[in-house]
Amino acid sequence: MHDAVKDNTEKRAKRVIAALKANNMEGWYLPDAAGVREFVEKLIPEGAVVSSGGSMTLAETGVIDLLGSGRYQYLDRSKATTGEEIGRLYRQVFSADWYLASANAITEAGEIYSVDGNSNRVAAITFGPANVLLVVGCNKIVKDLAAAKDRVEAIAAPANTVRLSCATPCAATGKCEHCHSPARICCTTTIHSFQRIPGRIKVLLVGEPLGF
């Protein structure tokens, strides 16, 4: 990435962080993904009960490996083998100390836009865990909510259906078809525009493209 682009990215990210803080949410900026794991390790106390939503960003930055390293009490949904176990774990997550995920988009006004299939991720971000940390690449910063919706329909949803081998129309066409497929992954949309609990939702913006 050219230095001029890096400079512009940082300035834009800092505007978003200021907007998040105005909306009672915390925000930080890191210039590259290499520092994310260390940042998270310093932020979350050892022994804390943690969980995470499905996220390529967390995998790419080494955060998933950190959560499962034994440093924390990790409510790991990948270890659940039955539908009953998965459902029970999803509900245990609401009492976690920390919940980590990413977002599908963040607007310049500090609004967090998330779309989910099972809705467990957006539910945990919205209510339950004492702290929520979203790790978000600069590729997900958008102008407004209309651009956030466009981003999900044109980029995030089609890419994730391919990654997850979902039999949806967008997996074949590469764009949202507003389907009613049983495998649809964009069932619930949430917009977090303000937090009543100051700082509960925290956002780590990273100056590199991450995730979908």
Side-chain angles (χ1 to χ4, degrees), residues 132-209:
V132 172
L133 176 63
L134 305 178
V135 181
V136 183
C138 64
N139 51 315
K140 297 182 179 181
I141 298 175
V142 296
K143 180 180 179 180
D144 53 27
L145 291 172
K149 182 175 183 291
D150 289 343
R151 186 184 186 283
V152 170
E153 293 185 353
I155 299 173
N160 273 304
T161 54
V162 172
R163 176 176 69 89
L164 298 170
S165 300
C166 297
T168 59
C170 69
T173 66
K175 64 183 183 70
C176 179
E177 301 293 351
H178 304 285
C179 73
H180 290 82
S181 167
R184 176 171 167 160
I185 65 170
C186 51
C187 299
T188 304
T189 299
T190 60
I191 299 166
H192 291 91
S193 54
F194 194 84
Q195 266 293 285
R196 285 191 172 181
I197 303 173
R200 176 182 170 268
I201 293 181
K202 304 161 178 57
V203 178
L204 176 60
L205 288 175
V206 183
E208 293 182 8

Side-chain angles (χ1 to χ4, degrees), residues 3 9 12 17 26 28 33 36 45-46 52 59 70 76 79 89 107 115 124 127-128 146 150 158 165 169 212:
D3 286 346
T9 298
R12 192 182 192 200
I17 289 170
E26 191 63 81
W28 302 278
V36 171
E46 187 171 358
S52 61
D76 184 0
K79 300 295 175 62
L89 185 142
T107 72
V115 180
F127 177 81
D150 289 343
S165 300
F212 299 148

Side-chain angles (χ1 to χ4, degrees), residues 68-81:
S69 67
R71 178 180 173 84
Y72 309 108
Q73 299 178 56
Y74 184 28
L75 302 177
D76 184 0
R77 68 179 190 169
S78 71
K79 300 295 175 62
T81 58

